[in-house]
Amino acid sequence: MKKGTFAKLFSVTTAVALAGSLVLPLAPQTAHADRGVVDLWKAIKPLTTIASAMNTGAHPDDEHSAMLAYLSLGKGVDTSSIIANRGEGGQNEIGSELGNALGIIRTRELQEASKVTNVTLGILSEQIDDPVYDFGFSKSPDETLSKWGEEEVYERLIRKIRELRPDVVIPAFLNEPSTHGHHRAINVITVRAFEDAADPSVFPEHLAQGLSPWQVKKLYVPASAKDYDVRVPVGEYDEIYGASYLQLGEESRFMHKSQGMGRHYDEGPSYNYYKLEKSVVPENRGNTAKEKEPDFFEGIAYTFDDLAEEVKKAAGGGKLAAELSALQKDADRVIAAYPSFARVAEEVHAMLADVRKTKAAVEASGLERAVKQDVLHRLEVKENQLSKASAEALSLVAKVRPETGELVAGQTAKVTVTAYNGGQVKWSQVKLSLHVPEGWKARATGPTSVNGLGYNQTAKAEFEVTVPSNASLFQPYQEPLITADVAVTAFETASVTHVVPADAVAVLPGFALSVSPGATVLNTLKPEEPISVKVTVKNYNPGAANSAISLELPDGWSAEPKSVPVSFAAKGETKSAAFTVKPGSSVKPGQYKVTAVARGNGKESRQGAQVIRYPHIGTTYFVQPAEVAIQAFDLNVPEGLKVGYVSSGFDNIDQYLRQVGVDVVSLSAKDIESGDLSQYDSIVLGIRAYGFRPELIPSNARLLKYVEDGGNLVVQYHKPEDKWKPELAPYPITIGTPLIQWRVTDENSKVTMLAPEHPIFNTPNKITDEDWNHWIQDRSAYNPSKWAKEYVELIKNGDSGEKEFTGTFLTATYGKGTYTYSSLVWYREIPALVPGAIRLFVNMASLKQ
């Protein structure tokens, strides 16, 4: 068949319904049917090799996607991607979620990206608020490992290596000063793990868990075209996929939408380069001279024939070697049968029977323990791959469908498991089974097996699932709560397909609470001013329910009313209750907390359930306490201050300015292009606004005229790729590159005010050294490297041992007005209610000549 047929009829951008098994729980599937001959090829190609490779990185999107696509999709290598954290400390280009909610999004994106390249995924961060957390940019691997807990993250990496037993490991980054500290840290522990994963004295507790030491055979690191050992031809065009491996890799990167990843590449030669860092391959088998290696696996067993040669040399390995060589012939017959689904299915099932027979022979053999474990692991990987190949070749479409994915403790719900035969091979038997967590009950309400299932027929089993009354609430990083197995017998051999629901199945609070605001300021200059709190309640109970809503308050505080009854006629209804909270008469600066509580139906809830839903990742949830965080401090806000805010979509500073009494108007494109700007005391541009508000650059002259006529324009940080040009400012400002060298990552670094008498430090709030305390994550990002002499340098600040920046906070008069450019990370500090940041931002927005 010509490649054009494949390219036109089948999409490889859609995730595979039956993709490779994951170290992490299988992510909910966004594709409900197989994708024909392309996915059939994707499933059978791995049968041709027993080699394996692992790529390690720090964050979602660190994976070397083109190289992974080449190895997995092109060569069939058993390929894994191990990522340290979940990207919680980054920005969000598709919504307002930050922190843990962003980590949930990026995890789902990473899972979907891994499906595109058919890669096994593992993440070292295991739960919400895990120690292995993306705490923001770091310049140091030592700082990174200290914050993560070096022993903990290292143990998890060693465990992944011992579980997956890769022949080759490739860290995504080098340990060099120009690289993110998180990236450097992963390089450090990956390189160290090359020896330690094979040492039984390193984390000996793994032996009790059934994990034996494993010696990686080669470790490669990224290199350049000038100095490399292996050149990976990612630009090779694959006729079956109708794309190059570089393009296939980018299709996976497009899944990282919250980071704006993914690029379009033209066809043509392209290469990734890697250098051999460590190896245990004997010299007579590896690359002994200075010449380049043909691939990562030079000198490493790559096929069943190669494995047979190794086993033949071991005591008692002669007969087993013959069986392993027979598996190579089986794999060749599978490939030769392509693209006939029926013929491929027959050959796959024959090979599956042979693999199981060989496994039994290996287990019964007298091979030494290490050799036996190695062969058995490779055979188990092959058995799993064959089950997936069987599902594709038989055109099995398997689904598990709960009647609802939103459950509450004590609920009973129906779950249906189906297996559809879309192929020409008649199945002799189908068995459907359901799996639920320990303590749950799953009862079949009818038959769970069918004898004989032909083309266009469906087998179905229904189950009643009961959630225990003490069931834990949903954790987004745990394994799916409900899964199914579909066992299909054809050609006298059974294969098993594991299935998960299309979207997350979650145990949620019966009454899910959300509070508004989620965080607010208590101005201790006006302690008598009450705080309005709105509580919205969603009923997740299956039917009518009644509840009473109240607030838990700090000592000495009060709320009116004390309690609000709410009743629901059906699941999914929402009701609201409004409260007026009055602080204690002698409230002092500090942090306070107000918690919403719902009591009813014999239950009590203090949690909310944030629904996270995007087309490319489906639906999931973030269950968290329903709390209002309150920061009390002194704050002066000019009466009647009116600010026009131009959001880039990456921050919500405007809502916090409104909370403290600023009249904030969100400016539309029309407002910027033709509206009356003179009505605003200040106009504030959100971070990176020039890159994401296309009307800004054509309207920049209007903004500068606004300043010239007496306005106050505040511009927050930009990257060069945000279409920033020095001349956008009234006097040129150049952003420093490389960007890694122009930021301050220590939130506790000393700040010196260079112009302490400037109004920005005095009006309406007096700024002192105390105001630079308690900042979070970073001080500044993407600092300017050059600026015109007209600017006043307001502060100097830098990381320990480095030259301090003086261009972080610049202001200048321009005509009758004021222009301020700031690289301070306001978008993190203000939602975190950092008192000094809020006081200083109000001053900045209040500047007048």
Side-chain angles (χ1 to χ4, degrees):
M1 190 179 292
K2 294 182 179 179
K3 58 96 177 173
T5 305
F6 296 136
K8 291 175 183 175
L9 293 181
F10 302 100
S11 166
V12 293
T13 60
T14 305
V16 189
L18 300 166
S21 62
L22 303 179
V23 178
L24 277 184
L26 270 167
Q29 309 289 331
T30 55
H32 297 292
D34 53 21
R35 285 290 170 276
V37 289
V38 173
D39 275 359
L40 179 61
W41 180 255
K42 188 183 289 189
I44 65 174
K45 183 63 178 175
L47 304 179
T48 64
T49 174
I50 51 95
S52 56
M54 174 183 287
N55 184 209
T56 62
H59 318 93
D61 94 333
D62 282 352
E63 62 269 25
H64 284 200
S65 305
M67 181 268 290
L68 293 174
Y70 174 80
L71 290 180
S72 176
L73 302 180
K75 304 306 253 181
V77 170
D78 179 26
T79 310
S80 58
S81 173
I82 306 301
I83 300 300
N85 63 48
R86 299 174 185 270
E88 302 97 334
Q91 298 173 21
N92 184 355
E93 296 195 10
I94 60 173
S96 60
E97 298 91 348
L98 291 174
N100 283 323
L102 176 59
I104 293 170
I105 291 172
R106 291 194 172 180
T107 297
R108 286 290 300 114
E109 291 177 333
L110 180 60
Q111 290 170 331
E112 293 299 319
S114 299
K115 285 192 230 172
V116 174
T117 49
N118 205 25
V119 165
T120 298
L121 172 64
I123 302 182
L124 303 184
S125 173
E126 296 175 348
Q127 58 191 351
I128 294 290
D129 293 326
D130 194 275
V132 187
Y133 192 84
D134 180 6
F135 58 84
F137 197 88
S138 172
K139 296 178 182 176
S140 162
D142 295 336
E143 178 201 33
T144 299
L145 293 173
S146 174
K147 289 193 174 184
W148 284 352
E150 184 168 351
E151 186 82 353
E152 188 155 16
V153 69
Y154 193 46
E155 183 275 327
R156 294 179 186 183
L157 176 62
I158 294 286
R159 178 154 35 97
K160 294 298 184 191
I161 291 173
R162 289 173 174 173
E163 286 173 351
L164 295 172
R165 302 165 74 91
D167 296 316
V168 173
V169 171
I170 309 150
F173 298 95
L174 296 170
N175 178 20
E176 54 187 17
S178 62
T179 304
H180 193 321
H182 297 184
H183 299 163
R184 297 176 66 186
I186 287 300
N187 173 280
V188 167
I189 62 175
T190 301
V191 171
R192 191 194 313 162
F194 183 83
E195 283 88 14
D196 283 354
D199 185 346
S201 68
V202 176
F203 304 118
E205 65 271 20
H206 287 178
L207 284 170
Q209 301 166 9
L211 290 178
S212 297
W214 173 248
Q215 178 60 67
V216 177
K217 296 176 178 61
K218 291 184 181 180
L219 184 138
Y220 291 87
V221 295
S224 69
K226 295 180 180 179
D227 183 20
Y228 69 92
D229 291 309
V230 170
R231 184 177 75 168
V232 179
V234 296
E236 281 189 1
Y237 192 88
D238 192 303
E239 293 182 311
I240 291 180
Y241 297 115
S244 71
Y245 300 109
L246 176 61
Q247 291 169 330
L248 291 169
E250 288 304 303
E251 287 179 359
S252 81
R253 298 193 72 75
F254 274 112
M255 289 296 178
H256 296 292
K257 294 185 186 301
S258 68
Q259 302 186 69
M261 291 292 111
R263 296 174 59 187
H264 295 284
Y265 286 97
D266 288 333
E267 296 74 13
S270 181
Y271 301 90
N272 281 12
Y273 299 90
Y274 299 92
K275 193 166 184 63
L276 182 64
E277 184 86 353
K278 296 189 176 188
S279 174
V280 296
V281 175
E283 287 189 3
N284 63 344
R285 294 193 59 190
N287 186 34
T288 57
K290 290 295 181 183
E291 54 221 35
K292 310 302 182 189
E293 297 179 76
D295 56 44
F296 293 130
F297 304 98
E298 177 75 358
I300 296 174
Y302 188 76
T303 64
F304 274 112
D305 284 338
D306 296 334
L307 186 61
E309 286 298 313
E310 290 189 349
V311 170
K312 189 187 298 183
K313 299 171 187 174
K319 183 179 178 183
L320 290 174
E323 294 196 33
L324 292 169
S325 290
L327 293 178
Q328 190 66 50
K329 294 182 177 62
D330 284 345
D332 292 341
R333 283 192 288 269
V334 172
I335 297 299
Y338 182 81
S340 168
F341 282 77
R343 287 181 53 215
V344 168
E346 184 174 7
E347 299 296 347
V348 161
H349 278 248
M351 185 175 181
L352 182 56
D354 288 346
V355 164
R356 288 171 178 164
K357 183 178 71 172
T358 305
K359 275 181 62 181
V362 172
E363 287 171 340
S365 74
L367 286 176
E368 66 172 279
R369 186 169 181 270
V371 176
K372 181 182 287 190
Q373 285 181 325
D374 180 36
V375 176
L376 283 175
H377 173 77
R378 296 179 195 274
L379 289 173
E380 286 163 4
V381 169
K382 209 56 55 184
E383 185 175 9
N384 289 334
Q385 292 171 346
L386 282 160
S387 288
K388 296 176 181 66
S390 166
E392 293 293 345
L394 294 174
S395 295
L396 162 64
V397 183
K399 300 178 183 178
V400 53
R401 288 173 166 163
E403 63 176 318
T404 175
E406 297 172 339
L407 303 170
V408 298
Q411 180 176 353
T412 296
K414 184 175 78 172
V415 178
T416 304
V417 181
T418 58
Y420 169 79
N421 184 348
Q424 300 305 312
V425 175
K426 185 175 182 178
W427 309 341
S428 56
Q429 188 179 62
V430 182
K431 293 183 178 179
L432 309 170
S433 57
L434 192 71
H435 306 291
V436 296
E438 185 177 355
W440 292 41
K441 294 180 181 178
R443 183 181 68 86
T445 59
T448 59
S449 64
V450 173
N451 291 324
L453 197 73
Y455 169 71
N456 215 20
Q457 293 181 332
T458 300
K460 181 171 75 170
E462 293 185 346
F463 299 83
E464 274 189 357
V465 171
T466 301
V467 185
S469 59
N470 61 347
S472 299
L473 294 175
F474 180 68
Q475 296 292 328
Y477 301 150
Q478 291 181 354
E479 293 186 4
L481 294 174
I482 295 175
T483 62
D485 280 338
V486 175
V488 172
T489 301
F491 306 104
E492 301 181 348
T493 303
S495 63
V496 179
T497 298
H498 191 63
V499 196
V500 299
D503 277 316
V505 175
V507 177
L508 302 175
F511 302 106
L513 306 158
S514 63
V515 291
S516 178
T520 192
V521 170
L522 170 57
N523 191 347
T524 50
L525 296 179
K526 302 177 180 179
E528 72 284 353
E529 288 191 354
I531 300 171
S532 296
V533 175
K534 180 182 178 182
V535 180
T536 301
V537 190
K538 184 170 184 177
N539 178 34
Y540 281 108
N541 293 287
N546 298 303
S547 181
I549 313 303
S550 60
L551 300 179
E552 288 186 350
L553 304 163
D555 290 343
W557 293 35
S558 63
E560 288 295 335
K562 288 184 169 54
S563 178
V564 178
V566 291
S567 60
F568 303 93
K571 177 179 178 177
E573 284 189 355
T574 60
K575 297 288 179 71
S576 296
F579 297 87
T580 299
V581 174
K582 294 182 179 180
S585 57
S586 57
V587 66
K588 296 179 180 179
Q591 296 177 337
Y592 300 89
K593 181 174 68 177
V594 171
T595 304
V597 183
R599 295 181 177 91
N601 278 30
K603 300 175 183 177
E604 183 174 280
S605 174
R606 289 175 167 79
Q607 284 84 26
Q610 179 180 353
V611 180
I612 297 175
R613 181 181 291 120
Y614 289 95
H616 65 303
I617 61 172
T619 300
T620 187
Y621 306 87
F622 179 28
V623 177
Q624 56 188 320
E627 297 174 346
V628 183
I630 299 173
Q631 182 72 53
F633 60 92
D634 293 353
L635 178 66
N636 286 300
V637 178
E639 196 72 31
L641 178 64
K642 187 175 184 180
V643 172
Y645 201 91
V646 183
S647 175
S648 57
F650 295 166
D651 69 68
N652 49 10
I653 288 175
D654 49 342
Q655 76 179 52
Y656 291 94
L657 292 177
R658 291 187 184 97
Q659 284 183 18
V660 299
V662 179
D663 179 10
V664 180
V665 178
S666 298
L667 299 186
S668 66
K670 184 177 180 181
D671 294 329
I672 295 164
E673 292 166 343
S674 59
D676 176 16
L677 302 182
S678 66
Q679 63 182 297
Y680 304 107
D681 298 301
S682 296
I683 294 176
V684 178
L685 305 190
I687 58 170
R688 307 181 61 192
Y690 281 103
F692 293 86
R693 293 292 294 266
E695 71 275 14
L696 280 178
I697 289 179
S699 302
N700 195 61
R702 293 193 81 232
L703 293 174
L704 295 184
K705 184 68 168 61
Y706 160 79
V707 179
E708 192 174 17
D709 291 343
N712 178 39
L713 182 63
V714 174
V715 179
Q716 299 179 67
Y717 79 67
H718 282 71
K719 295 182 181 182
E721 59 262 37
D722 296 327
K723 304 172 186 172
W724 177 263
K725 302 264 189 244
E727 57 270 20
L728 288 173
Y731 314 110
I733 294 176
T734 301
I735 299 169
T737 56
L739 300 178
I740 188 173
Q741 297 178 8
W742 295 89
R743 61 193 306 161
V744 180
T745 63
D746 182 1
E747 63 270 30
N748 299 310
S749 53
K750 177 177 173 52
V751 177
T752 302
M753 291 181 280
L754 298 176
E757 302 308 315
H758 193 280
I760 211 165
F761 295 130
N762 292 278
T763 305
N765 298 284
K766 177 67 176 176
I767 303 301
T768 68
D769 289 342
E770 173 62 25
D771 287 296
W772 300 102
N773 294 336
H774 312 298
W775 286 48
I776 66 163
Q777 192 159 320
D778 296 302
R779 283 287 191 201
S780 61
Y782 318 120
N783 284 302
S785 58
K786 292 191 299 184
W787 52 93
K789 62 179 178 21
E790 286 84 356
Y791 290 101
V792 175
E793 299 167 1
L794 293 168
I795 66 171
K796 68 175 179 179
N797 172 240
D799 283 320
S800 177
E802 297 183 3
K803 182 180 178 180
E804 291 183 299
F805 298 114
T806 58
T808 298
F809 202 4
L810 303 170
T811 191
T813 57
Y814 181 65
K816 299 177 182 178
T818 307
Y819 180 95
T820 301
Y821 187 95
S822 173
S823 297
L824 291 165
V825 288
W826 305 106
Y827 83 103
R828 293 202 184 278
E829 310 308 321
I830 290 179
L833 303 181
V834 175
I838 294 174
R839 286 159 51 84
L840 190 50
F841 203 97
V842 168
N843 285 12
M844 186 169 59
S846 306
L847 273 179
K848 287 289 184 184
Q849 281 200 51

